[in-house]
C-alpha cells in the first residue's frame, strides 16, 4: 500500500481535468471526504482548443476564479470567417457573462486541480485506475497501478465514485460504458504557434475549412489568442464524422495547411508546436453512464458540444451537479437518477445539435449552405448562441424558445436518445 494514498474515502474522483477537479472541489466544499486521483503527474498537457466560452466562465466564477482568468486574456466574442465573409459576433451576455477567455490546458487543469486541493480534496497523481472491485453491483473499491504493470498496485475503497477520466474513459469501459458512433463525433487536432495577434480581443473560427486539394471539408478551423504574455495562439482543426461517413483526413498535416492559409493574416510563426489529435464522442453518445453508486461526468459521459467541439463548460457543470446530488440525495441510486439529470440538462440540446452537425457531414451540403448562412448577421448571431451552448434554463426569449422547441421534437425522434 502506498504511503500517500488512503485506504478509503467518501467520494473518489478518478480524473483531474476540469470535470473531475470541479466535482472534487464542490464535494469537498460541501463537507465530503474526497480523494482526487489521476494517471498523470501535473502539470500535464491535454488536446484541446483552450477556449473558455461565457458558460465556462460562469462556472469558473462560481469556483472563485474570475479574477485569475481576467489576468490571462479576455475576449469579447467570435470572429467568424468563411465563404468570402467575416462577421464579428459579440458574446450575447444575458444570463451568462459577456466575455470569454483562453488558457492553455497545461495551466488551466493544474490550477483547477490546485483549487480542488485547497478546497479540501486529497490529491493523488501518477496513479492509473485499472479495475473496480464490485460488491452487489456497487463499486466497493477502485484498483490503481503506479509505475506500470510491474510497479505498485493498491485499492481505494469508496462510498461514491465519480468517473472523469476523459474521452476514452478506461475506467468507464471497465464499468460498462459504451460509445456509439452512429451519431456524429469529432476528430480534432491542436497545436501552438507564435502570433502577432496573440492579444486579439476576438477568437477566430474558419467555417470554410479546405483540404489539400482545395475541397471544402465538413469541419472548421480555429485560432484562439492566449494573450500578450503567452505570445501565441492555439491553432487547431476539427472535422465531423459518423460511422456511415467517417473522416478520411490526416488531421496533423491539415493543421499545417490551415496555418499556411492564414499565416499572413494572423502573423503566424512557421513552427506548429506540440501538435496532438484526439477522437471526441459528442452529444451524449454513450450508454451506461451510471451505476448504483458511480457516475460518469464530462468527456467520459460524452458531454461535448457536437456543433463546436467544446466540452469544458459541460465538464465544470456536471462536476458541480454530481456533487450537489451527493449532498441533496446521499442514498440515491445513481443508475436511474444521473442519466435523467444529464438528459434534463443537455438531452434536447444535444439531440438537435448532433442532428444538425450530422447534416454537415453530408457531401456538398456545406459548400451550398455555407455561403447563404454567412451572408446573414442575424442567422450567424443565432448560430453563435445555439452552437456555443449559450442558451440557459433561465432564458425565455424567442431564440431560446425556438432552440428548446427544436430540441424537444428532435429527441422524440431519436432511435437512441443522449445518455441511453
Amino acid at each position: 500500500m502506498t504511503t500517500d494514498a488512503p485506504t478509503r474515502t467518501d467520494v473518489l474522483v478518478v480524473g483531474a481535468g476540469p470535470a473531475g477537479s470541479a466535482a472534487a472541489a464542490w464535494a469537498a466544499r460541501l463537507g465530503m471526504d474526497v480523494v482526487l486521483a489521476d494517471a498523470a503527474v501535473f502539470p500535464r498537457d491535454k488536446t484541446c482548443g483552450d477556449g473558455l466560452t461565457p458558460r465556462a466562465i460562469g462556472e469558473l466564477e462560481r469556483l472563485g476564479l474570475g479574477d485569475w482568468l481576467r489576468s490571462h486574456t479576455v475576449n469579447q466574442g467570435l470572429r467568424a470567417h468563411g465563404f468570402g465573409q467575416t462577421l464579428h459576433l459579440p458574446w450575447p451576455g444575458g444570463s451568462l457573462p459577456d466575455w470569454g477567455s483562453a488558457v492553455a490546458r497545461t495551466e488551466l487543469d493544474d490550477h483547477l486541480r490546485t483549487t480542488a486541493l485547497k478546497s479540501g480534496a486529497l490529491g493523488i497523481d501518477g496513479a492509473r485506475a485499472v479495475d473496480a472491485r464490485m460488491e452487489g453491483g456497487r463499486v466497493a473499491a477502485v484498483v490503481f497501478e503506479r509505475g506500470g504493470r510491474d510497479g505498485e498496485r493498491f485499492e481505494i475503497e469508496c462510498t461514491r465514485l465519480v468517473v472523469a477520466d476523459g474521452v476514452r474513459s478506461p475506467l468507464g469501459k471497465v464499468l460498462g460504458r459504451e460509445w456509439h458512433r452512429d451519431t456524429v463525433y469529432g476528430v480534432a487536432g491542436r497545436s501552438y504557434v507564435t502570433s502577432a495577434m496573440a492579444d486579439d480581443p476576438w477568437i477566430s473560427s474558419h467555417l470554410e475549412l479546405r483540404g489539400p486539394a482545395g475541397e471544402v471539408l465538413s469541419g472548421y478551423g480555429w485560432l484562439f489568442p492566449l494573450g500578450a504574455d503567452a505570445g501565441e495562439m492555439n491553432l487547431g482543426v476539427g472535422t465531423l464524422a459518423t460511422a456511415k461517413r467517417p473522416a478520411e483526413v490526416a488531421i496533423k498535416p491539415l493543421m499545417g495547411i490551415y496555418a499556411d492559409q492564414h499565416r499572413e493574416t494572423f502573423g503566424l510563426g512557421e513552427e506548429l508546436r506540440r501538435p496532438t489529435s484526439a477522437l471526441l464522442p459528442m452529444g451524449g453518445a454513450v450508454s451506461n453512464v451510471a451505476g448504483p453508486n458511480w457516475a460518469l461526468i464530462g468527456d467520459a459521459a460524452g458531454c461535448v458540444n457536437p456543433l463546436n467541439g467544446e466540452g469544458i463548460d459541460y465538464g465544470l457543470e456536471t462536476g458541480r451537479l454530481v456533487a450537489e446530488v451527493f449532498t441533496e440525495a446521499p442514498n440515491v441510486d445513481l443508475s436511474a437518477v444521473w442519466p435523467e439529470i444529464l438528459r434534463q440538462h443537455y438531452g434536447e440540446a444535444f439531440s438537435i445539435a448532433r442532428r444538425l452537425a450530422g447534416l454537415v457531414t453530408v457531401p456538398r451540403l456545406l459548400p451550398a449552405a455555407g455561403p447563404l448562412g454567412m451572408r446573414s448577421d442575424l442567422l450567424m448571431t443565432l448560430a453563435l448562441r445555439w452552437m456555443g451552448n449559450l442558451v440557459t434554463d433561465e432564458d425565455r426569449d424567442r431564440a431560446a424558445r425556438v432552440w428548446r422547441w427544436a430540441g424537444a421534437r428532435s429527441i422524440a425522434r431519436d432511435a437512441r436518445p443522449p445518455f441511453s
Side-chain angles (χ1 to χ4, degrees):
M1 182 64 197
T2 66
T3 58
D4 63 342
T7 57
R8 75 165 320 278
T9 185
D10 292 338
V11 177
L12 174 60
V13 182
V14 174
S21 289
W26 286 117
R29 292 179 184 186
L30 292 169
M32 287 170 263
D33 181 34
V34 182
V35 170
L36 175 60
D38 197 280
V41 175
F42 282 70
R44 60 97 176 95
D45 195 12
K46 172 73 183 295
T47 303
C48 182
D50 297 338
L52 298 169
T53 65
R55 190 153 181 160
I57 298 294
E59 285 297 317
L60 291 165
E61 287 183 325
R62 284 176 182 255
L63 286 166
L65 302 181
D67 290 342
W68 178 80
L69 285 171
R70 286 187 179 273
S71 71
H72 287 74
T73 185
V74 170
N75 58 63
Q76 60 194 57
L78 172 70
R79 183 192 292 116
H81 307 261
F83 305 101
Q85 304 289 325
T86 297
L87 303 176
H88 288 79
L89 307 170
W91 298 122
S95 59
L96 294 170
D98 62 356
W99 59 285
S101 186
V103 180
R105 288 291 296 273
T106 304
E107 182 180 359
L108 176 70
D109 289 13
D110 189 51
H111 194 75
L112 281 168
R113 180 176 179 271
T114 299
T115 299
L117 303 188
K118 288 181 177 178
S119 298
L122 173 65
I124 300 172
D125 58 9
R128 185 178 302 278
V130 295
D131 204 356
R133 176 163 58 83
M134 311 296 293
E135 292 181 1
R138 300 171 66 88
V139 174
V142 173
V143 180
F144 292 90
E145 285 182 351
R146 196 179 246 162
R149 295 191 178 186
D150 297 328
E152 179 183 32
R153 194 177 179 97
F154 61 94
E155 288 187 354
I156 300 178
E157 296 181 353
C158 58
T159 305
R160 303 175 191 86
L161 170 66
V162 177
V163 181
D165 55 351
V167 293
R168 296 183 182 275
S169 191
L171 183 58
K173 290 179 182 178
V174 169
L175 296 171
R177 178 249 203 193
E178 185 178 358
W179 171 22
H180 306 286
R181 303 194 189 192
D182 48 342
T183 56
V184 70
Y185 63 91
V187 186
R190 173 234 73 186
S191 63
Y192 293 99
V193 61
T194 59
S195 172
M197 296 177 62
D199 59 349
D200 188 359
W202 297 87
I203 61 173
S204 286
S205 180
H206 291 84
L207 307 180
E208 183 184 359
L209 180 65
R210 292 190 174 271
E215 73 278 21
V216 177
L217 303 176
S218 58
Y220 45 87
W222 68 80
L223 283 157
F224 292 170
L226 295 173
D229 290 343
E232 61 184 6
M233 287 185 167
N234 182 307
L235 178 149
V237 297
T239 62
L240 299 171
T242 64
K244 290 182 178 179
R245 292 186 286 271
E248 297 178 348
V249 149
I251 286 292
K252 291 183 180 179
L254 182 59
M255 283 193 288
I257 294 170
Y258 176 65
D260 290 341
Q261 292 168 346
H262 303 289
R263 178 163 284 110
E264 182 176 353
T265 302
F266 289 87
L268 304 181
E270 292 293 330
E271 180 187 5
L272 298 185
R273 299 188 306 106
R274 291 157 49 197
T276 61
S277 61
L279 293 177
L280 298 175
M282 292 175 158
V286 295
S287 55
N288 296 320
V289 295
N293 70 327
W294 54 269
L296 273 61
I297 64 173
D299 289 356
C303 291
V304 176
N305 190 328
L307 291 172
N308 68 1
E310 205 272 340
I312 296 176
D313 55 355
Y314 301 107
L316 295 168
E317 286 180 359
T318 54
R320 174 173 54 82
L321 290 171
V322 78
E324 290 172 353
V325 170
F326 292 163
T327 302
E328 296 166 3
N331 299 315
V332 72
D333 183 342
L334 292 170
S335 59
V337 170
W338 185 242
E340 184 56 30
I341 288 174
L342 292 177
R343 278 190 288 270
Q344 286 176 1
H345 281 271
Y346 310 119
E348 292 179 358
F350 276 171
S351 175
I352 186 63
R354 68 190 191 185
R355 198 176 296 275
L356 292 173
L359 290 175
V360 176
T361 68
V362 176
R364 295 183 294 279
L365 180 62
L366 186 59
L372 296 175
M374 286 295 295
R375 292 191 190 112
S376 170
D377 283 58
L378 174 61
L379 182 59
M380 290 304 295
T381 297
L382 290 173
L384 170 67
R385 191 163 170 207
W386 293 337
M387 291 170 62
N389 188 29
L390 302 179
V391 176
T392 70
D393 294 339
E394 294 79 21
D395 293 337
R396 295 291 183 269
D397 60 289
R398 182 177 297 178
R401 294 198 304 271
V402 168
W403 185 242
R404 283 192 283 264
W405 175 87
R409 278 146 187 80
S410 176
I411 200 170
R413 291 167 173 78
D414 280 342
R416 182 184 291 111
F419 312 109
S420 64

